Amino acid sequence: MKKPTNQKVLVRFNGALLLVGAGKMGSAMLDGWLARGLKPKQIAVIEPHAGKAVKALARRGLKLNPKGKVDAATAIVIAVKPQIASGAVPQLAAHVDKNTLVLSIMAGRTIGFLEKFLPPGTAIVRAMPNTPAAIGRGISVAAANANVSARQRKQASELLAAIGKVEWIGDEALMDAVTALSGSGPAYVFLLAEAMASAGIAAGLPPALATRLARETVAGSGELLHRSDLDAATLRENVTSPGGTTAAALDVLMGPDGFDQLLTRAIAAATQRSRELAG
Ligand SMILES: NC(=O)c1ccc[n+]([C@@H]2O[C@H](COP(=O)([O-])OP(=O)(O)OC[C@H]3O[C@@H](n4cnc5c(N)ncnc54)[C@H](OP(=O)(O)O)[C@@H]3O)[C@@H](O)[C@H]2O)c1
């Protein structure tokens, strides 16, 4: 079984961190940073409608919507909705100097888009997380522009690790396929739980029981996959006896027009939609 990673890496973070947007994702990141050793007094938050947790942190030294002269931040994390980016990003230029790392998790907003609003030479990382970030179990994929140093790349990894695992890509164009796989992916897994419940009902189970069985089967299998060193195919083979019940179902799921073909089409459609939305 896998070992836990170092939990307190952010005690090494020197300087100030500015979080822009403390909604679902921003708050999840904030919780993760504090758990990993960042101090409230190192953090400033820009958020028009701060929740109770952020207000409580403001009483412990976090700067909420700071006014007056602004200092450059060591890192700025942008977690506002993509639709309001053109309003929120330009004012961040005042917090940027040549050492600042800008990390954006806005879906569909490219590095080129951010560069238009920030000073020339700004180090920018664009990342795509996913919903399990809310429980620290997301996966983010990150891409950097040429101004990001090795130290800043490590810093971005440590900030993103607060909400789960981190992968890097060299080619930002892959972000559309990433969005289609891991960004939108949690919805496919939830749909699997829904479809299994419906199929159980069709097979004669009471609806409430079918729903519980489907939910726990998806959640438990996900947890087993998470904790195991074995890959998904091996875990699947381990529960499939030749000629048994699982094999009968897999003959259907892995047959023509089965899971593989369906998901290939679904992910191609999401990739295409992501390209269209990015413009
Ligand atoms: N949720 C996901 O699973 C997911 C996955 C991948 C990527 N993302 C990306 O993560 C980003 C945040 O998503 P979310 O789900 O956390 O959205 P959210 O809950 O709506 O959070 C955005 C927050 O930003 C605040 N805000 C609005 N205008 C602002 C401004 N000018 N300056 C600072 N803060 C402002 C919003 O306040 P109000 O509510 O008062 O407007 C809200 O609290 C999005 O860009 C999204 O594309 C999310």
Side-chain angles (χ1 to χ4, degrees):
M1 291 286 162
K2 290 167 187 166
K3 303 230 165 43
T5 47
N6 178 6
Q7 290 295 308
K8 287 284 176 191
V9 285
L10 290 177
V11 288
R12 292 199 300 262
F13 184 96
N14 283 320
L17 188 149
L18 173 63
L19 171 66
V20 188
K24 289 185 282 299
M25 275 289 170
S27 295
M29 293 183 93
L30 190 54
D31 288 347
W33 298 331
L34 293 164
R36 287 167 165 247
L38 203 66
K39 307 263 183 319
K41 66 176 182 337
Q42 289 178 280
I43 307 170
V45 171
I46 301 179
E47 165 59 63
H49 302 106
K52 274 191 197 146
V54 175
K55 285 182 180 156
L57 285 166
R59 291 191 285 277
R60 292 174 45 206
L62 176 145
K63 295 170 210 62
L64 182 56
N65 298 317
K67 300 269 175 328
K69 184 189 167 305
V70 291
D71 294 325
T74 308
I76 300 177
V77 176
I78 307 177
V80 296
K81 291 274 189 217
Q83 302 87 298
I84 64 133
S86 357
V89 179
Q91 59 188 305
L92 302 179
H95 299 269
V96 173
D97 73 8
K98 60 180 185 4
N99 298 313
T100 305
L101 164 72
V102 174
L103 167 61
S104 162
I105 62 158
M106 290 184 292
R109 291 300 185 195
T110 61
I111 290 174
F113 169 90
L114 294 160
E115 282 172 342
K116 277 194 291 187
F117 297 106
L118 297 168
T122 303
I124 300 173
V125 170
R126 171 190 173 193
M128 181 68 200
N130 62 3
T131 312
I135 54 162
R137 287 279 303 277
I139 184 155
S140 301
V141 177
N145 73 359
N147 306 317
V148 175
S149 67
R151 185 184 54 77
Q152 287 172 319
R153 199 180 153 101
K154 188 157 175 276
Q155 200 167 58
S157 287
E158 288 174 355
L159 291 171
L160 290 168
I163 49 167
K165 301 222 179 314
V166 185
E167 298 280 340
W168 287 86
I169 49 174
D171 178 5
E172 191 192 356
L174 293 177
M175 209 54 106
D176 296 308
V178 163
T179 303
L181 178 54
S182 56
S184 304
Y188 317 155
V189 177
F190 300 141
L191 177 63
L192 173 66
E194 290 176 67
M196 283 175 68
S198 302
I201 295 165
L205 293 173
L209 177 63
T211 304
R212 283 199 298 278
L213 295 181
R215 184 187 181 107
E216 289 309 312
T217 302
V218 170
S221 307
E223 187 62 24
L224 181 59
L225 182 61
H226 172 68
R227 291 198 206 175
S228 176
D229 293 323
L230 301 174
D231 63 17
T234 308
L235 287 168
R236 170 177 54 75
E237 283 157 11
N238 287 351
V239 291
T240 313
S241 344
T245 57
T246 311
L250 290 179
D251 282 347
V252 177
L253 292 172
M254 298 172 81
D257 295 325
F259 250 12
D260 267 15
Q261 286 84 348
L262 201 55
L263 277 171
T264 302
R265 273 173 31 224
I267 287 178
T271 306
Q272 179 55 28
R273 186 66 187 135
S274 174
R275 283 196 195 111
E276 287 163 9
L277 289 173

